[in-house]
């Protein structure tokens, strides 16, 4: 089995297992778990370590809690709240595009828009959204660990080094002149 086939099978099994677990454990929003599997397991790398999972869950919880903090501002001072949400969206886009922190930027956007909109309707709805997002991320990583036990990544060969720029320049020079010597 080629490494790409192995990775495709690992991603499909992780998505299926995470969906079965999230529906079987009756999560509030079970369809979010496969989405996070795609975000977190799309790269053909080993799954994150438990410490990295804990830090990710902590960062996600804090960034989603920012949306809950925006709710009183949106309820009592509408224009100021909308300006703060716009400023937060600008900051999250800056983190995503310029700094390359796409996961953090995505969760800041979710926290500022989805959680604050849900919290504007009901505080209980905002806590359900936050808890389901955190549970979905934890389930996605746990199923990735489980599937990676059965389908580990293949070690890379030491002779499979990428070609350097000198090789490309040498080929271009030979093809331009037509001389092989």
């Amino acid at each position: 089995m080629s490494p790409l086939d192995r990775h495709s099978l690992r991603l499909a099994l992780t998505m299926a297992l995470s969906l079965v677990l999230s529906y079987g454990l009756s999560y509030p929003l079970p369809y979010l778990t496969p989405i996070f599997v795609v975000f977190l397991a799309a790269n053909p790398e080993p799954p994150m370590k438990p410490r990295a999972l804990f830090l990710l869950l902590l960062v996600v919880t804090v960034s989603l809690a920012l949306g809950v903090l925006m709710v009183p501002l949106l309820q009592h001072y509408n224009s100021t709240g909308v300006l703060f949400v716009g400023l937060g969206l600008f900051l999250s886009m800056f983190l995503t595009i310029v700094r390359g922190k796409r996961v953090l930027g995505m969760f800041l956007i979710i926290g500022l828009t989805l959680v604050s909109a849900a919290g504007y309707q009901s505080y209980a709805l905002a806590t359900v959204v936050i808890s389901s997002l955190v549970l979905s991320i934890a389930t996605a990583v746990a199923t990735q660990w489980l599937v990676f036990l059965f389908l580990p990544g293949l070690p890379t060969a030491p002779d499979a080094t990428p070609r350097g720029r000198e090789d490309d320049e040498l080929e271009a020079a030979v093809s331009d002149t037509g001389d092989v010597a």
Side-chain angles (χ1 to χ4, degrees):
M1 180 182 294
S2 73
L4 290 176
D5 293 340
R6 182 179 286 268
H7 176 64
S8 298
L9 181 62
R10 191 181 318 133
L11 184 63
L13 286 175
T14 304
M15 287 181 67
L17 185 61
S18 67
L19 190 64
V20 166
L21 279 175
S22 59
Y23 271 104
L25 296 173
S26 67
Y27 286 176
L29 301 172
Y31 51 85
L32 291 177
T33 308
I35 295 171
F36 289 119
V37 167
V38 170
F39 281 131
L40 298 173
N43 295 333
E45 300 170 352
M48 64 178 64
K49 306 284 187 219
R51 184 173 186 260
L53 174 63
F54 176 73
L55 289 175
L56 176 68
L57 291 177
L58 184 68
V59 166
V60 166
T61 305
V62 168
S63 64
L64 294 176
L66 288 176
V68 175
L69 293 176
M70 296 299 293
V71 171
L73 210 64
L74 287 169
Q75 286 178 343
H76 300 293
Y77 307 103
N78 295 338
S79 58
T80 307
V82 169
L83 285 174
F84 274 122
V85 168
L87 182 66
L89 288 176
F90 175 76
L91 175 69
S92 64
M93 292 295 178
F94 178 78
L95 284 173
T96 302
I97 296 170
V98 176
R99 298 287 183 184
K101 311 270 187 196
R102 64 181 179 99
V103 174
L104 178 61
M106 179 188 66
F107 286 120
L108 279 173
I109 289 172
I110 290 172
L112 288 171
T113 56
L114 179 68
V115 174
S116 58
Y120 191 77
Q121 294 300 317
S122 165
Y123 179 76
L125 181 61
T127 57
V128 165
V129 167
I130 291 173
S131 66
S132 66
L133 286 171
V134 171
L135 280 173
S136 295
I137 291 170
T139 304
V141 174
T143 55
Q144 187 182 9
W145 286 338
L146 186 65
V147 170
F148 202 79
L149 287 175
F150 295 111
L151 291 170
L154 296 175
T156 58
D159 59 341
T161 57
R163 293 175 41 170
R165 185 174 170 192
E166 297 83 20
D167 295 334
D168 293 336
E169 290 175 355
L170 181 63
E171 269 190 37
V174 169
S175 67
D176 288 341
T177 61
D179 297 335
V180 183

